[in-house]
Short mmCIF file of all heavy atoms in Angstrom, two decimals:
data_model
loop_
_atom_site.label_atom_id
_atom_site.label_comp_id
_atom_site.label_asym_id
_atom_site.label_seq_id
_atom_site.Cartn_x
_atom_site.Cartn_y
_atom_site.Cartn_z
N ALA V 117 -7.98 147.97 197.45
CA ALA V 117 -6.67 148.45 197.08
C ALA V 117 -5.63 148.11 198.25
O ALA V 117 -4.55 147.79 198.04
CB ALA V 117 -6.86 150.05 196.98
N GLN V 118 -6.10 148.16 199.46
CA GLN V 118 -5.29 147.77 200.62
C GLN V 118 -4.97 146.23 200.52
O GLN V 118 -3.81 145.85 200.69
CB GLN V 118 -5.99 148.04 201.90
CG GLN V 118 -5.15 147.58 203.12
CD GLN V 118 -5.83 147.81 204.47
OE1 GLN V 118 -6.28 148.87 204.67
NE2 GLN V 118 -5.84 146.81 205.25
N ASP V 119 -5.96 145.44 200.18
CA ASP V 119 -5.57 144.02 200.12
C ASP V 119 -4.62 143.68 199.08
O ASP V 119 -3.71 142.89 199.34
CB ASP V 119 -6.96 143.37 199.67
CG ASP V 119 -8.02 143.37 200.69
OD1 ASP V 119 -7.73 143.69 201.89
OD2 ASP V 119 -9.19 143.17 200.36
N THR V 120 -4.68 144.38 197.91
CA THR V 120 -3.68 144.16 196.84
C THR V 120 -2.28 144.66 197.39
O THR V 120 -1.27 143.87 197.19
CB THR V 120 -4.08 144.81 195.58
OG1 THR V 120 -5.43 144.26 195.22
CG2 THR V 120 -3.13 144.62 194.50
N PHE V 121 -2.26 145.79 197.84
CA PHE V 121 -1.00 146.40 198.20
C PHE V 121 -0.23 145.63 199.32
O PHE V 121 0.96 145.59 199.42
CB PHE V 121 -1.30 147.82 198.67
CG PHE V 121 0.04 148.58 199.04
CD1 PHE V 121 0.90 149.11 198.01
CD2 PHE V 121 0.32 148.83 200.37
CE1 PHE V 121 1.97 149.86 198.35
CE2 PHE V 121 1.46 149.62 200.73
CZ PHE V 121 2.30 150.12 199.70
N CYS V 122 -1.06 145.13 200.28
CA CYS V 122 -0.52 144.46 201.51
C CYS V 122 -0.50 142.97 201.29
O CYS V 122 0.03 142.26 202.34
CB CYS V 122 -1.29 144.90 202.66
SG CYS V 122 -1.47 146.63 202.99
N ALA V 123 -0.72 142.34 200.15
CA ALA V 123 -0.74 140.96 200.10
C ALA V 123 0.66 140.36 200.39
O ALA V 123 1.63 140.83 199.85
CB ALA V 123 -1.15 140.62 198.69
N GLY V 124 0.73 139.38 201.30
CA GLY V 124 2.01 138.76 201.56
C GLY V 124 2.75 139.38 202.54
O GLY V 124 4.02 138.92 202.84
N THR V 125 2.37 140.44 203.14
CA THR V 125 3.13 141.21 204.10
C THR V 125 2.17 141.81 205.11
O THR V 125 1.01 141.75 204.91
CB THR V 125 4.03 142.24 203.47
OG1 THR V 125 4.89 142.81 204.45
CG2 THR V 125 3.25 143.41 202.80
N THR V 126 2.72 142.64 206.10
CA THR V 126 1.96 143.31 207.06
C THR V 126 1.97 144.84 206.81
O THR V 126 3.03 145.35 206.46
CB THR V 126 2.55 143.07 208.46
OG1 THR V 126 2.39 141.66 208.88
CG2 THR V 126 1.75 143.86 209.53
N CYS V 127 0.84 145.48 206.83
CA CYS V 127 0.78 146.92 206.70
C CYS V 127 0.29 147.56 208.02
O CYS V 127 -0.46 146.98 208.75
CB CYS V 127 -0.16 147.20 205.58
SG CYS V 127 0.41 147.08 203.91
N THR V 128 0.78 148.73 208.20
CA THR V 128 0.41 149.48 209.37
C THR V 128 -0.18 150.81 208.83
O THR V 128 0.13 151.31 207.75
CB THR V 128 1.47 149.85 210.35
OG1 THR V 128 2.52 150.47 209.58
CG2 THR V 128 2.04 148.58 211.00
N ILE V 129 -1.18 151.36 209.67
CA ILE V 129 -1.70 152.62 209.31
C ILE V 129 -0.83 153.73 209.84
O ILE V 129 -0.62 153.89 211.09
CB ILE V 129 -3.17 152.77 209.83
CG1 ILE V 129 -4.08 151.70 209.24
CG2 ILE V 129 -3.78 154.23 209.60
CD1 ILE V 129 -5.43 151.63 209.78
N THR V 130 -0.26 154.52 209.02
CA THR V 130 0.67 155.62 209.39
C THR V 130 0.00 156.94 209.46
O THR V 130 0.48 157.88 210.20
CB THR V 130 1.86 155.63 208.35
OG1 THR V 130 1.32 155.60 207.02
CG2 THR V 130 2.73 154.34 208.61
N VAL V 131 -1.04 157.21 208.69
CA VAL V 131 -1.73 158.56 208.70
C VAL V 131 -3.17 158.32 208.60
O VAL V 131 -3.67 157.42 207.79
CB VAL V 131 -1.28 159.39 207.47
CG1 VAL V 131 -2.03 160.82 207.55
CG2 VAL V 131 0.21 159.57 207.37
N VAL V 132 -3.98 159.00 209.42
CA VAL V 132 -5.41 159.04 209.21
C VAL V 132 -5.80 160.41 208.84
O VAL V 132 -5.51 161.44 209.52
CB VAL V 132 -6.11 158.73 210.60
CG1 VAL V 132 -7.70 158.62 210.34
CG2 VAL V 132 -5.55 157.38 211.22
N TYR V 133 -6.25 160.61 207.59
CA TYR V 133 -6.47 161.88 206.99
C TYR V 133 -7.70 162.62 207.52
O TYR V 133 -8.77 161.88 207.74
CB TYR V 133 -6.57 161.69 205.47
CG TYR V 133 -5.19 161.30 204.87
CD1 TYR V 133 -5.02 160.01 204.33
CD2 TYR V 133 -4.15 162.30 204.83
CE1 TYR V 133 -3.73 159.80 203.79
CE2 TYR V 133 -2.93 161.97 204.30
CZ TYR V 133 -2.71 160.74 203.83
OH TYR V 133 -1.46 160.38 203.22
N ASP V 134 -7.60 163.83 207.72
CA ASP V 134 -8.75 164.67 208.09
C ASP V 134 -9.53 165.01 206.84
O ASP V 134 -9.00 165.66 205.91
CB ASP V 134 -8.26 165.90 208.79
CG ASP V 134 -9.33 166.96 209.25
OD1 ASP V 134 -10.51 166.54 209.15
OD2 ASP V 134 -9.02 168.08 209.52
N GLN V 135 -10.80 164.70 206.82
CA GLN V 135 -11.59 164.90 205.67
C GLN V 135 -12.12 166.42 205.71
O GLN V 135 -12.64 166.90 204.63
CB GLN V 135 -12.81 164.05 205.56
CG GLN V 135 -12.42 162.57 205.51
CD GLN V 135 -13.63 161.66 205.47
OE1 GLN V 135 -14.69 162.02 205.07
NE2 GLN V 135 -13.48 160.48 206.01
N SER V 136 -11.98 167.12 206.77
CA SER V 136 -12.54 168.52 206.82
C SER V 136 -11.52 169.44 206.06
O SER V 136 -10.36 169.06 205.81
CB SER V 136 -12.60 169.01 208.32
OG SER V 136 -11.40 169.47 208.79
N PRO V 137 -11.95 170.63 205.71
CA PRO V 137 -11.06 171.67 205.04
C PRO V 137 -9.86 172.02 205.91
O PRO V 137 -8.95 172.72 205.42
CB PRO V 137 -12.03 172.82 204.74
CG PRO V 137 -13.35 172.21 204.80
CD PRO V 137 -13.31 171.12 205.83
N ARG V 138 -9.88 171.65 207.18
CA ARG V 138 -8.79 172.05 208.04
C ARG V 138 -7.50 171.27 207.99
O ARG V 138 -6.48 171.65 208.48
CB ARG V 138 -9.31 172.04 209.51
CG ARG V 138 -10.50 172.87 209.83
CD ARG V 138 -10.15 174.37 209.82
NE ARG V 138 -11.28 175.16 210.30
CZ ARG V 138 -11.13 176.42 210.55
NH1 ARG V 138 -9.89 177.05 210.50
NH2 ARG V 138 -12.20 177.25 210.94
N HIS V 139 -7.61 170.05 207.39
CA HIS V 139 -6.43 169.25 207.07
C HIS V 139 -5.65 168.91 208.45
O HIS V 139 -4.37 168.88 208.38
CB HIS V 139 -5.58 169.88 206.07
CG HIS V 139 -6.24 170.16 204.82
ND1 HIS V 139 -6.71 169.15 203.93
CD2 HIS V 139 -6.53 171.32 204.25
CE1 HIS V 139 -7.31 169.71 202.87
NE2 HIS V 139 -7.21 171.11 203.06
N ASN V 140 -6.45 168.58 209.45
CA ASN V 140 -5.73 168.17 210.71
C ASN V 140 -5.47 166.60 210.76
O ASN V 140 -6.00 165.86 211.48
CB ASN V 140 -6.70 168.53 211.94
CG ASN V 140 -6.85 170.06 212.07
OD1 ASN V 140 -5.80 170.75 212.01
ND2 ASN V 140 -7.97 170.51 212.33
N ASP V 141 -4.56 166.25 209.84
CA ASP V 141 -4.25 164.85 209.78
C ASP V 141 -3.62 164.28 210.91
O ASP V 141 -2.78 164.92 211.62
CB ASP V 141 -3.31 164.65 208.49
CG ASP V 141 -3.93 165.13 207.16
OD1 ASP V 141 -5.19 165.22 207.07
OD2 ASP V 141 -3.11 165.50 206.33
N LEU V 142 -3.92 163.01 211.23
CA LEU V 142 -3.31 162.35 212.44
C LEU V 142 -2.12 161.48 212.08
O LEU V 142 -2.30 160.71 211.07
CB LEU V 142 -4.34 161.51 213.04
CG LEU V 142 -5.60 162.20 213.69
CD1 LEU V 142 -6.72 161.11 214.14
CD2 LEU V 142 -5.20 163.04 214.91
N THR V 143 -1.01 161.65 212.70
CA THR V 143 0.17 160.78 212.47
C THR V 143 0.50 160.11 213.74
O THR V 143 -0.02 160.42 214.85
CB THR V 143 1.28 161.64 211.96
OG1 THR V 143 1.59 162.66 212.90
CG2 THR V 143 1.01 162.30 210.63
N ILE V 144 1.35 159.14 213.69
CA ILE V 144 1.78 158.31 214.78
C ILE V 144 2.30 159.16 215.83
O ILE V 144 3.24 159.97 215.59
CB ILE V 144 2.70 157.20 214.35
CG1 ILE V 144 1.92 156.21 213.34
CG2 ILE V 144 3.13 156.39 215.62
CD1 ILE V 144 2.86 155.20 212.76
N GLU V 145 1.86 159.04 217.10
CA GLU V 145 2.22 159.93 218.18
C GLU V 145 3.55 159.53 218.70
O GLU V 145 3.94 158.33 218.78
CB GLU V 145 1.13 159.77 219.32
CG GLU V 145 1.28 160.69 220.50
CD GLU V 145 0.19 160.67 221.44
OE1 GLU V 145 -0.82 159.92 221.22
OE2 GLU V 145 0.23 161.47 222.39
N GLY V 146 4.34 160.55 219.18
CA GLY V 146 5.59 160.46 219.71
C GLY V 146 5.53 160.10 221.24
O GLY V 146 4.42 159.95 221.69
N PRO V 147 6.68 160.01 221.88
CA PRO V 147 6.68 159.57 223.34
C PRO V 147 6.06 160.80 224.18
O PRO V 147 6.22 161.99 223.76
CB PRO V 147 8.16 159.36 223.66
CG PRO V 147 8.96 160.09 222.61
CD PRO V 147 8.01 160.06 221.39
N GLY V 148 5.56 160.44 225.32
CA GLY V 148 5.04 161.56 226.25
C GLY V 148 5.31 161.21 227.64
O GLY V 148 6.13 160.21 227.92
N ALA V 149 4.72 161.96 228.54
CA ALA V 149 5.03 161.89 229.99
C ALA V 149 4.70 160.43 230.53
O ALA V 149 5.33 159.97 231.50
CB ALA V 149 4.33 162.92 230.77
N GLN V 150 3.63 159.79 229.96
CA GLN V 150 3.08 158.52 230.50
C GLN V 150 3.14 157.43 229.43
O GLN V 150 2.65 156.36 229.66
CB GLN V 150 1.69 158.81 231.02
CG GLN V 150 1.61 159.63 232.20
CD GLN V 150 2.31 159.15 233.43
OE1 GLN V 150 2.27 157.99 233.71
NE2 GLN V 150 3.01 159.99 234.11
N GLY V 151 3.90 157.60 228.44
CA GLY V 151 4.00 156.41 227.44
C GLY V 151 5.11 156.75 226.48
O GLY V 151 5.55 157.90 226.21
N GLY V 152 5.66 155.67 225.98
CA GLY V 152 6.83 155.75 224.99
C GLY V 152 6.32 155.99 223.62
O GLY V 152 5.16 156.30 223.33
N GLN V 153 7.18 155.90 222.65
CA GLN V 153 6.79 156.12 221.28
C GLN V 153 5.74 155.12 220.90
O GLN V 153 5.81 153.92 221.03
CB GLN V 153 8.14 155.83 220.30
CG GLN V 153 7.84 155.82 218.82
CD GLN V 153 7.36 157.19 218.34
OE1 GLN V 153 8.09 158.14 218.60
NE2 GLN V 153 6.22 157.19 217.66
N ASP V 154 4.68 155.70 220.24
CA ASP V 154 3.59 154.94 219.81
C ASP V 154 3.85 154.23 218.45
O ASP V 154 4.82 154.59 217.76
CB ASP V 154 2.35 155.73 219.79
CG ASP V 154 1.82 156.11 221.21
OD1 ASP V 154 1.50 155.28 221.98
OD2 ASP V 154 1.80 157.38 221.39
N VAL V 155 2.99 153.21 218.12
CA VAL V 155 3.10 152.62 216.84
C VAL V 155 1.77 152.69 216.12
O VAL V 155 0.80 153.20 216.71
CB VAL V 155 3.49 151.11 217.03
CG1 VAL V 155 4.86 150.94 217.68
CG2 VAL V 155 2.36 150.45 217.85
N GLY V 156 1.84 152.43 214.85
CA GLY V 156 0.56 152.47 214.04
C GLY V 156 -0.10 151.21 214.19
O GLY V 156 0.37 150.15 214.35
N ALA V 157 -1.47 151.28 213.93
CA ALA V 157 -2.30 150.18 213.99
C ALA V 157 -2.04 149.20 212.82
O ALA V 157 -1.77 149.67 211.63
CB ALA V 157 -3.78 150.54 214.00
N ILE V 158 -2.08 147.91 213.09
CA ILE V 158 -1.99 146.95 212.02
C ILE V 158 -3.22 146.91 211.16
O ILE V 158 -4.36 147.01 211.67
CB ILE V 158 -1.77 145.58 212.54
CG1 ILE V 158 -0.46 145.39 213.36
CG2 ILE V 158 -1.79 144.52 211.44
CD1 ILE V 158 -0.19 144.09 214.09
N ALA V 159 -3.05 147.15 209.81
CA ALA V 159 -4.13 147.65 208.99
C ALA V 159 -5.28 146.71 208.77
O ALA V 159 -6.37 147.09 208.48
CB ALA V 159 -3.53 148.12 207.67
N ASP V 160 -5.11 145.40 208.96
CA ASP V 160 -6.10 144.43 208.56
C ASP V 160 -6.72 143.65 209.74
O ASP V 160 -7.30 142.58 209.54
CB ASP V 160 -5.59 143.47 207.50
CG ASP V 160 -4.46 142.52 207.92
OD1 ASP V 160 -4.00 142.74 209.11
OD2 ASP V 160 -4.11 141.66 207.12
N LEU V 161 -6.41 144.13 210.91
CA LEU V 161 -7.08 143.39 212.04
C LEU V 161 -8.46 143.60 212.51
O LEU V 161 -8.98 142.90 213.34
CB LEU V 161 -6.13 143.72 213.29
CG LEU V 161 -4.76 142.97 213.32
CD1 LEU V 161 -4.00 143.40 214.65
CD2 LEU V 161 -4.77 141.57 213.06
N LEU V 162 -9.07 144.56 211.79
CA LEU V 162 -10.46 144.87 212.19
C LEU V 162 -11.28 145.02 210.90
O LEU V 162 -11.88 146.05 210.54
CB LEU V 162 -10.50 146.20 212.93
CG LEU V 162 -11.72 146.62 213.70
CD1 LEU V 162 -12.27 145.47 214.54
CD2 LEU V 162 -11.44 147.82 214.59
N PRO V 163 -11.52 143.80 210.24
CA PRO V 163 -12.47 143.79 209.07
C PRO V 163 -13.88 143.92 209.39
O PRO V 163 -14.33 143.21 210.32
CB PRO V 163 -12.07 142.45 208.31
CG PRO V 163 -11.65 141.56 209.50
CD PRO V 163 -11.03 142.53 210.48
N VAL V 164 -14.64 144.75 208.74
CA VAL V 164 -16.13 144.96 208.94
C VAL V 164 -16.64 145.11 207.48
O VAL V 164 -16.07 145.25 206.50
CB VAL V 164 -16.38 146.17 209.86
CG1 VAL V 164 -15.83 145.97 211.18
CG2 VAL V 164 -15.83 147.47 209.19
N THR V 165 -18.03 145.29 207.53
CA THR V 165 -18.73 145.72 206.30
C THR V 165 -19.51 146.93 206.63
O THR V 165 -20.04 146.99 207.83
CB THR V 165 -19.45 144.69 205.63
OG1 THR V 165 -20.53 144.24 206.52
CG2 THR V 165 -18.70 143.44 205.21
N VAL V 166 -19.67 147.78 205.70
CA VAL V 166 -20.59 148.94 205.74
C VAL V 166 -21.45 148.94 204.50
O VAL V 166 -20.98 149.09 203.38
CB VAL V 166 -19.84 150.28 205.92
CG1 VAL V 166 -19.31 150.48 207.37
CG2 VAL V 166 -18.60 150.35 204.96
N ASN V 167 -22.74 148.74 204.76
CA ASN V 167 -23.69 148.55 203.67
C ASN V 167 -23.17 147.54 202.71
O ASN V 167 -23.38 147.70 201.43
CB ASN V 167 -24.02 149.96 203.04
CG ASN V 167 -25.18 150.61 203.70
OD1 ASN V 167 -25.98 150.03 204.17
ND2 ASN V 167 -25.13 151.95 203.61
N GLY V 168 -22.57 146.44 203.25
CA GLY V 168 -22.12 145.43 202.46
C GLY V 168 -20.80 145.51 201.82
O GLY V 168 -20.26 144.58 201.13
N HIS V 169 -20.19 146.67 201.99
CA HIS V 169 -18.86 147.00 201.41
C HIS V 169 -17.78 146.58 202.46
O HIS V 169 -17.90 147.04 203.58
CB HIS V 169 -18.70 148.46 201.08
CG HIS V 169 -19.60 148.91 199.90
ND1 HIS V 169 -19.16 148.70 198.51
CD2 HIS V 169 -20.79 149.44 199.78
CE1 HIS V 169 -20.23 149.16 197.79
NE2 HIS V 169 -21.19 149.57 198.54
N GLU V 170 -16.82 145.84 201.95
CA GLU V 170 -15.73 145.50 202.91
C GLU V 170 -14.89 146.63 203.21
O GLU V 170 -14.52 147.51 202.38
CB GLU V 170 -14.95 144.34 202.28
CG GLU V 170 -15.80 143.19 202.03
CD GLU V 170 -15.19 142.20 201.03
OE1 GLU V 170 -14.10 142.48 200.52
OE2 GLU V 170 -15.90 141.22 200.74
N ALA V 171 -14.49 146.83 204.55
CA ALA V 171 -13.62 147.93 204.95
C ALA V 171 -12.92 147.45 206.26
O ALA V 171 -13.13 146.39 206.78
CB ALA V 171 -14.54 149.12 205.27
N TYR V 172 -12.11 148.29 206.75
CA TYR V 172 -11.23 148.05 207.95
C TYR V 172 -11.40 149.18 208.91
O TYR V 172 -11.19 150.34 208.66
CB TYR V 172 -9.84 147.90 207.57
CG TYR V 172 -9.56 146.76 206.68
CD1 TYR V 172 -9.28 146.81 205.38
CD2 TYR V 172 -9.41 145.46 207.24
CE1 TYR V 172 -8.99 145.76 204.52
CE2 TYR V 172 -9.02 144.32 206.42
CZ TYR V 172 -8.92 144.54 205.03
OH TYR V 172 -8.67 143.47 204.35
N GLY V 173 -11.71 148.84 210.23
CA GLY V 173 -11.66 149.70 211.28
C GLY V 173 -10.27 149.85 211.68
O GLY V 173 -9.31 149.16 211.19
N ILE V 174 -9.93 150.70 212.67
CA ILE V 174 -8.59 150.95 213.33
C ILE V 174 -8.59 150.26 214.67
O ILE V 174 -9.28 150.75 215.51
CB ILE V 174 -8.29 152.41 213.36
CG1 ILE V 174 -8.31 153.08 211.95
CG2 ILE V 174 -6.88 152.57 213.89
CD1 ILE V 174 -8.17 154.51 211.99
N LEU V 175 -7.79 149.18 214.73
CA LEU V 175 -7.78 148.49 216.03
C LEU V 175 -6.73 149.18 216.94
O LEU V 175 -5.55 149.17 216.74
CB LEU V 175 -7.35 147.06 215.83
CG LEU V 175 -7.49 146.19 217.08
CD1 LEU V 175 -8.94 145.98 217.41
CD2 LEU V 175 -6.91 144.73 216.87
N MET V 176 -7.20 149.90 217.99
CA MET V 176 -6.40 150.66 218.84
C MET V 176 -5.99 149.78 220.09
O MET V 176 -6.41 149.81 221.12
CB MET V 176 -7.21 151.86 219.35
CG MET V 176 -7.79 152.71 218.34
SD MET V 176 -6.70 153.35 217.08
CE MET V 176 -5.57 154.28 218.07
N GLN V 177 -4.86 148.94 219.81
CA GLN V 177 -4.34 148.18 220.86
C GLN V 177 -3.45 148.98 221.78
O GLN V 177 -3.09 150.14 221.36
CB GLN V 177 -3.41 147.08 220.18
CG GLN V 177 -4.24 146.20 219.28
CD GLN V 177 -3.32 145.26 218.40
OE1 GLN V 177 -2.93 145.69 217.22
NE2 GLN V 177 -2.84 144.07 219.02
#
Side-chain angles (χ1 to χ4, degrees):
Q118 175 181 313
D119 295 341
T120 300
F121 182 75
C122 300
T125 187
T126 298
C127 280
T128 58
I129 297 174
T130 49
V131 183
V132 185
Y133 290 109
D134 178 14
Q135 299 179 32
S136 86
R138 300 289 188 168
H139 303 295
N140 292 317
D141 301 335
L142 296 171
T143 56
I144 297 172
E145 187 169 2
Q150 294 297 320
Q153 172 65 50
D154 291 297
V155 298
I158 297 174
D160 66 354
L161 286 184
L162 194 47
V164 296
T165 63
V166 281
N167 272 330
H169 293 272
E170 296 158 8
Y172 294 99
I174 304 175
L175 191 67
M176 307 303 299
Q177 301 166 267

